[in-house]
Amino acid sequence: MPFSTIQTIRYWLSEHPIIVNFRWNHAQSWGSTWSFLFTAIAIYIVAAIFLHLLLCLLLRRNHRIPLGPIPAVHSLAVSLISVVIFVGILLSAAAEIRDTRWFWRRTNTTTFQWLLCFPLGTRPSGRVFFWSYVFYLSRFLHLLRTFFSVLKYRKLTFFQLFNQSILTFMSFLWLEFSQSFQVLAILLTTLLYSVVYGYRFWTAIGLPSACSPFVVNCQMVLLGCNLVCHFGVLFLHLLKGGCNGIGAWGFNSVLNAVILLLFMNFYVKMHLKNRKSSQLRTEDDGSSKHSSSAQHLKVKDS
């Protein structure tokens, strides 16, 4: 890639005045109030439940509503937006590290420590928090998948509603309390989303899918990485005398633990179901082979 192209990308994703001068506040940032957050989540939950119940009343249980290319376009859009956020926050974090490294020398802070533990008094302004705000807004685009699932598969679960609502709520907390660990969390999450939604777009347009549950395995990797990083934040908080937004981080950790337990329950059930179905296929293959060999012996005896 030419050097001029790299410089252009760096300017538009980390050095543009709108990004550098960003400040999270309730007066200027759209969707930045607690009332907006709770209202949006409540509307999402009520609308999803209402749509599910309405379809149950009007249509047969196995009747699905075709959505055409809409899910594929949605997956492509989410994948591309995730790539932009990933590159943007990566370049912005590098710029912040470059501009504030002189101050870190006084407190013996390393780059990895800053990624996990913001210094006390950190304000939600600047490059990194601009991309955290974009990530927060992108969460509302993810909510559409629930409605796609209701329309196309006639399926609505508690985990879907809880997971989407809590992830939106947590991304709001990152901004409201300048929470530590959010840079790494956004990097890991957007990297996963770019791959997972790219894969969903791949399969939605009719290309071959993976033999293993690719999406579920990717989500397990993300949850595992988040768990390790949370222990790192706690260690640095105790070692350095405090990380910014640690109260929100503690609440965030509890919500992450609940999501992890629900997802592990789903993952184990899916694994047992797949194992049972594979055993049944093996037994069916064995019985069919036995019956064919028995028929072969009867023909031979006759």
Side-chain angles (χ1 to χ4, degrees):
M1 184 179 294
F3 180 74
S4 60
T5 304
I6 297 175
Q7 289 296 100
T8 302
I9 293 174
R10 182 175 293 136
Y11 171 78
W12 284 105
L13 296 184
S14 66
E15 301 296 341
H16 193 277
I18 294 177
I19 298 175
V20 176
N21 300 321
F22 171 79
R23 176 177 290 274
W24 166 265
N25 62 70
H26 296 172
Q28 297 179 358
S29 304
W30 184 83
S32 60
T33 61
W34 288 95
S35 58
F36 174 87
L37 176 69
F38 287 120
T39 302
I41 292 177
I43 291 175
Y44 158 69
I45 293 174
V46 171
I49 295 175
F50 175 78
L51 179 62
H52 180 65
L53 294 177
L54 182 66
L55 292 178
C56 290
L57 291 173
L58 298 179
L59 302 175
R60 297 189 305 273
R61 185 176 180 81
N62 59 349
H63 182 80
R64 299 180 179 183
I65 299 176
L67 299 177
I70 295 177
V73 173
H74 176 265
S75 296
L76 180 61
V78 173
S79 180
L80 294 177
I81 291 171
S82 299
V83 170
V84 172
I85 296 174
F86 175 83
V87 176
I89 198 168
L90 184 65
L91 294 175
S92 296
E96 291 290 339
I97 292 168
R98 179 198 64 211
D99 294 345
T100 56
R101 185 172 290 170
W102 62 272
F103 178 74
W104 295 354
R105 295 192 183 100
R106 299 180 182 181
T107 57
N108 295 323
T109 301
T110 65
T111 300
F112 185 69
Q113 288 175 345
W114 177 79
L115 289 172
L116 284 175
C117 178
F118 285 157
L120 293 174
T122 300
R123 301 293 182 185
S125 60
R127 302 178 181 92
V128 166
F129 288 98
F130 171 83
W131 289 109
S132 181
Y133 177 57
V134 175
F135 179 82
Y136 163 65
L137 295 180
S138 72
R139 287 301 321 164
F140 294 98
L141 185 61
H142 287 259
L143 301 182
L144 294 177
R145 275 200 62 84
T146 302
F147 298 97
F148 295 160
S149 179
V150 172
L151 291 170
K152 188 175 181 180
Y153 302 108
R154 302 290 306 279
K155 183 174 66 174
L156 180 65
T157 63
F158 169 77
F159 178 74
Q160 280 179 306
L161 296 174
F162 180 81
N163 184 54
Q164 296 285 8
S165 301
I166 291 304
L167 290 176
T168 305
F169 184 71
M170 288 193 299
S171 61
F172 178 89
L173 293 181
W174 292 349
L175 288 158
E176 185 69 15
F177 297 100
S178 304
Q179 185 189 309
S180 297
F181 170 59
Q182 63 178 281
V183 176
L184 275 180
I186 294 173
L187 283 171
L188 292 172
T189 306
T190 51
L191 179 62
L192 172 83
Y193 286 162
S194 62
V195 174
V196 166
Y197 280 91
Y199 171 78
R200 283 172 173 163
F201 171 74
W202 174 276
T203 55
I205 62 176
L207 295 172
S209 59
C211 55
S212 59
F214 178 78
V215 174
V216 176
N217 290 336
C218 286
Q219 290 173 333
M220 282 298 297
V221 171
L222 175 64
L223 290 172
C225 292
N226 281 339
L227 182 63
V228 173
C229 290
H230 275 287
F231 281 111
V233 174
L234 180 61
F235 175 76
L236 288 175
H237 175 70
L238 299 175
L239 180 68
K240 291 170 60 67
C243 296
N244 201 72
I246 198 64
W249 170 85
F251 185 66
N252 210 330
S253 299
V254 173
L255 296 177
N256 271 314
V258 174
I259 292 175
L260 179 62
L261 290 175
L262 290 173
F263 194 82
M264 285 294 295
N265 181 51
F266 166 77
Y267 187 82
V268 170
K269 286 182 178 179
M270 185 194 69
H271 180 72
L272 293 176
K273 183 179 179 180
N274 291 339
R275 187 176 178 182
K276 185 177 180 180
S277 60
S278 63
Q279 286 178 350
L280 290 174
R281 284 197 300 268
T282 304
E283 292 176 358
D284 290 341
D285 292 340
S287 61
S288 62
K289 288 181 180 179
H290 179 73
S291 60
S292 62
S293 61
Q295 290 177 357
H296 178 72
L297 287 174
K298 287 180 180 180
V299 171
K300 189 175 180 181
D301 291 340
S302 60

